Amino acid sequence: DWSYDVSYFRVAAPGESTINMLTQLEQPLTVRAYFPPSSEVRPKVTRYFKDLIAKGGNITFEVHDQLAVPALAKEDEVKKDGVVVLVNDPNREQMDIGVTEKRALRKLRKLDGEFQKSLMKVMREKRTAYLTVGHGELNEETDRKTGRTVRILREALQSQNYGIKNLGLPEGLADQVPEDATMVLVLGPQKAFNEAEPNS
C-alpha cells in the first residue's frame, strides 16, 4: 500500500513542518479540491493530501467537479476547476493549481511549500504592515547602485498573512499611525522626515 512518483511531473511530498503546522489547529482543516474527473492533475493532488492525512495531517479532504456542485463552489468563491480551497472558518484561501499537467507542473513540484503558504494565511488573522514612503526608502524602488531591495521582506510578510500598505503624507503620516497598523516599518530612508511626521 505505497506508491512512489518518479515521473517528470513529480509532486512534492508532505513535509514534517507542514504536519506540525496542522497540529496547531483546534479543529481539522477542510480542504476542497475542484478538478473534473478527466483532469490528469486530479489524482496527483489527491495523492498529496491523502499522504498528508496518512502521516497525521489534521485535515478533511474532498474532491469535487466545480460544475457538479455549483452551490458549494459559489460558497468557496470558485469559478473554475483546478483550484484547491483551504477552509478554517471564517478564513478561506485558494490555491490555483490548474487542470493540465503542463500548466500545473511548477505548482505540483512545489505543492507542499505552496500549501504551507496558504495554510499560514488561514491560520492567522489578516494583519497590516505599513511601509513609510516619501523619503527615499528602499521599498519605493530598488537601489540601482547597490541592488538593495525589500522584495524578500515583502514576500516574508505576505507569507505571514500581512497586507502591505504605503504610509506617507497623503495617507496621514503627519497625523497619526493608522488604527489597523500592526507595525510600521521605516526602511533605509535617504531623506529626513519633516517636523510633523515624527509626531505621529
Side-chain angles (χ1 to χ4, degrees), residues 126-145:
K126 189 74 173 180
R127 295 174 289 182
T128 303
Y130 280 88
L131 307 183
T132 61
V133 295
H135 317 91
E137 285 91 342
L138 287 176
N139 47 288
E140 293 187 308
E141 60 180 328
T142 300
D143 189 319
R144 295 180 180 179
K145 292 182 179 179

Side-chain angles (χ1 to χ4, degrees), residues 9 40-41 97 99-108:
F9 294 98
E40 53 201 353
V41 178
I97 307 295
V99 294
T100 65
E101 286 186 334
K102 183 177 181 180
R103 181 168 182 264
L105 173 59
R106 183 174 298 179
K107 293 290 182 67
L108 291 175

Side-chain angles (χ1 to χ4, degrees), residues 8-190:
Y8 178 67
F9 294 98
R10 180 171 52 86
V11 181
E16 290 186 11
S17 59
T18 302
I19 297 170
N20 290 337
M21 288 173 65
L22 289 167
T23 62
Q24 299 176 30
L25 295 172
E26 295 181 358
Q27 59 185 9
L29 175 77
T30 299
V31 177
R32 289 194 277 265
Y34 290 87
F35 292 89
S38 60
S39 171
E40 53 201 353
V41 178
R42 175 173 172 153
K44 296 180 180 295
V45 171
T46 298
R47 184 188 311 145
Y48 167 82
F49 285 106
K50 286 189 175 182
D51 286 349
L52 186 58
I53 293 172
K55 291 183 178 181
N58 187 24
I59 68 172
T60 60
F61 179 67
E62 308 167 7
V63 186
H64 301 282
D65 182 346
Q66 177 252 336
L67 295 177
V69 288
L72 185 61
K74 183 178 180 181
E75 180 183 341
D76 286 338
E77 299 183 355
V78 172
K79 299 180 180 179
K80 62 179 181 179
D81 278 312
V83 174
V84 175
V85 180
L86 284 62
V87 182
N88 183 33
D89 285 332
N91 299 325
R92 274 177 168 75
E93 183 68 22
Q94 292 189 9
M95 299 169 56
D96 188 354
I97 307 295
V99 294
T100 65
E101 286 186 334
K102 183 177 181 180
R103 181 168 182 264
L105 173 59
R106 183 174 298 179
K107 293 290 182 67
L108 291 175
R109 287 177 170 174
K110 300 180 179 180
L111 186 56
D112 191 55
E114 294 295 322
F115 176 67
Q116 276 196 33
K117 292 178 183 178
S118 297
L119 178 60
M120 185 70 72
K121 292 180 179 179
V122 297
M123 288 178 64
R124 296 184 175 182
E125 294 183 2
K126 189 74 173 180
R127 295 174 289 182
T128 303
Y130 280 88
L131 307 183
T132 61
V133 295
H135 317 91
E137 285 91 342
L138 287 176
N139 47 288
E140 293 187 308
E141 60 180 328
T142 300
D143 189 319
R144 295 180 180 179
K145 292 182 179 179
T146 64
R148 296 188 302 169
T149 176
V150 296
R151 178 181 57 82
I152 295 177
L153 174 61
R154 281 181 173 273
E155 292 176 353
L157 288 171
Q158 290 168 345
S159 71
Q160 299 295 314
N161 206 24
Y162 277 92
I164 301 175
K165 297 181 180 179
N166 289 336
L167 180 59
L169 288 174
E171 294 79 26
L173 178 58
D175 299 323
Q176 62 181 5
V177 173
E179 293 183 359
D180 65 337
T182 305
M183 66 173 70
V184 176
L185 302 176
V186 184
L187 304 175
Q190 301 298 308

